[in-house]
Amino acid sequence: MTYEEFFAKVKETFADTDVSGIKEHLAYQFNITGDAAGVFYVEVKEGKLSVEPYDYHDRDALFTCSAENLIKIANGKLDPLLAVTLQKLKVEGNIDKALKLKSIIGGKKK
């Protein structure tokens, strides 16, 4: 899978995510390793979710993982905390805000 294919899948996965209940600003950068290597960011601002293929320098947290593991996390097949424990996901930055990623994933419509 190329980065472009992977990023299109990420955008599609989060297209219907409801973040209207999240009142604070959250900004995450994802550094993807492996075959689909690349960078993108996820931002929650004023109850809206943005997913864009750019660096986000003023981010709250930085996540580094493979595309495969991120897809598992996004689909609820791999708990983010377990992924960190198993060293399948590296997290840097504001840990309190990083933990709120679960609330974004939890807002996905099934």
Side-chain angles (χ1 to χ4, degrees):
M1 175 183 320
T2 67
Y3 172 76
E4 290 77 15
E5 292 167 335
F6 169 70
F7 183 73
K9 188 171 190 164
V10 168
K11 288 232 11 157
E12 179 183 323
T13 298
F14 286 99
D16 294 330
T17 301
D18 180 10
V19 295
S20 60
I22 300 173
K23 300 303 178 198
E24 68 184 299
H25 180 258
L26 300 171
Y28 305 120
Q29 180 172 316
F30 291 83
N31 290 349
I32 305 304
T33 61
D35 292 339
V39 174
F40 69 92
Y41 74 85
V42 174
E43 178 182 39
V44 176
K45 183 176 182 181
E46 299 174 0
K48 296 187 181 182
L49 180 72
S50 298
V51 181
E52 298 297 333
Y54 310 109
D55 286 322
Y56 197 109
H57 298 286
D58 193 23
R59 61 191 171 254
D60 296 311
L62 171 68
F63 299 95
T64 303
C65 65
S66 69
E68 178 184 353
N69 285 325
L70 186 58
I71 289 169
K72 287 179 184 177
I73 291 168
N75 289 329
K77 296 185 190 285
L78 176 61
D79 181 84
L81 297 175
L82 179 61
V84 169
T85 303
L86 296 174
Q87 298 181 345
K88 294 183 177 195
L89 174 65
K90 182 179 175 185
V91 182
E92 299 174 41
N94 184 321
I95 298 302
D96 288 336
K97 287 197 173 192
L99 289 170
K100 295 181 181 182
L101 178 62
K102 283 186 87 165
S103 64
I104 295 171
I105 293 170
K108 282 186 19 190
K109 294 178 183 172
K110 305 283 182 203

